[in-house]
Each structure stands twice: as structure tokens, then as C-alpha cells.
Amino acid sequence: QVQLVESGGGLVQAGGSLRLSCAASGSIFTINAMGWYRQAPGKQRELVAAITRGGTTNYADSVKGRFTISRDNAKNTVYLQMNSLKPEDTAVYYCNADVTTLRGFRVNDYWGQGTQVTVSS
């Protein structure tokens, strides 16, 4: 079993910054990739950013140049630095992990509980 614990969400004015953190724990052999998704009311969950253990990154076009994903493999933690926030960034942000467990199974659908990010105009 793997657990993801998120922190850093909150309320910020447009143009401001937030830093999200997600720490994975449990029966982890290695984390192959971690990422952030978000879901706004009435919209489907979408990928915001992802990073592999080796450092390869993916970003949604809407956040390129504003958000930066990083990770600390030793701490099994991923971060999302969000700068120049816009009201349209308002959503529940979910952490995701692709994990090879101590039992040797690779599971790519571990999720955190979500953290609310609200950007006011």
C-alpha cells in the first residue's frame, strides 16, 4: 500500500505564487514517476505536470513557463512551484504516483486526496 500526502494549497491573489508538496510513503521499492493533476468544477481532471525518476518532465501548455515540477527522490517527494497564478488555475490539485512496490508490482494510479487552490482576481 502507498499513501500520498499533499500540502501547500490555499488562497492566493492573481499574480501570486504557491508551492505544492506531495510525499509518498508505504510499500515503495521505487517511484517511477510523480505528477500533478487538477480538476475544476464542470471539467475533467487534466495533467498539469509530471516528472520521471530520471528527471524527464511534461507540462500542460497552459502552465508552461509559470509552473515548475521538481522531485527529491531520496524523500519520495514531488513539488509544484506555481508562479504568476491566474484565476483559471483555480482547481483541486491531485498528486499522482507511478510506483513499483516492495512486492514487485508496478501501479501507476496512486492518488492523493486533493488540495484546493483558489486564485482570486
Side-chain angles (χ1 to χ4, degrees):
Q1 187 65 270
V2 174
Q3 299 82 41
L4 304 178
V5 179
E6 302 158 328
S7 62
L11 174 65
V12 66
Q13 290 187 326
S17 298
L18 287 172
R19 186 173 186 254
L20 306 183
S21 299
C22 175
S25 62
S27 300
I28 299 169
F29 178 73
T30 191
I31 297 179
N32 306 296
M34 297 185 76
W36 292 95
Y37 291 69
R38 67 186 181 189
Q39 188 166 23
K43 299 180 66 177
Q44 291 188 318
R45 188 174 298 186
E46 64 175 350
L47 175 69
V48 178
I51 187 166
T52 69
R53 183 173 183 84
T56 301
T57 58
N58 286 318
Y59 293 95
D61 288 342
S62 60
V63 307
K64 287 180 179 177
R66 300 188 297 120
F67 292 9
T68 302
I69 190 169
S70 61
R71 80 277 184 269
D72 186 334
N73 290 336
K75 296 180 179 180
N76 290 333
T77 299
V78 66
Y79 307 94
L80 186 67
Q81 179 66 45
M82 304 186 293
N83 298 325
S84 301
L85 282 161
K86 304 174 181 179
E88 50 263 44
D89 295 318
T90 296
V92 178
Y93 284 69
Y94 297 91
C95 181
N96 168 264
D98 174 358
V99 175
T100 300
T101 72
L102 293 176
R103 296 180 65 190
F105 296 105
R106 183 168 180 171
V107 180
N108 66 4
D109 63 347
Y110 288 110
W111 295 93
Q113 79 286 351
T115 185
Q116 178 71 47
V117 172
T118 302
V119 184
S120 62
S121 60

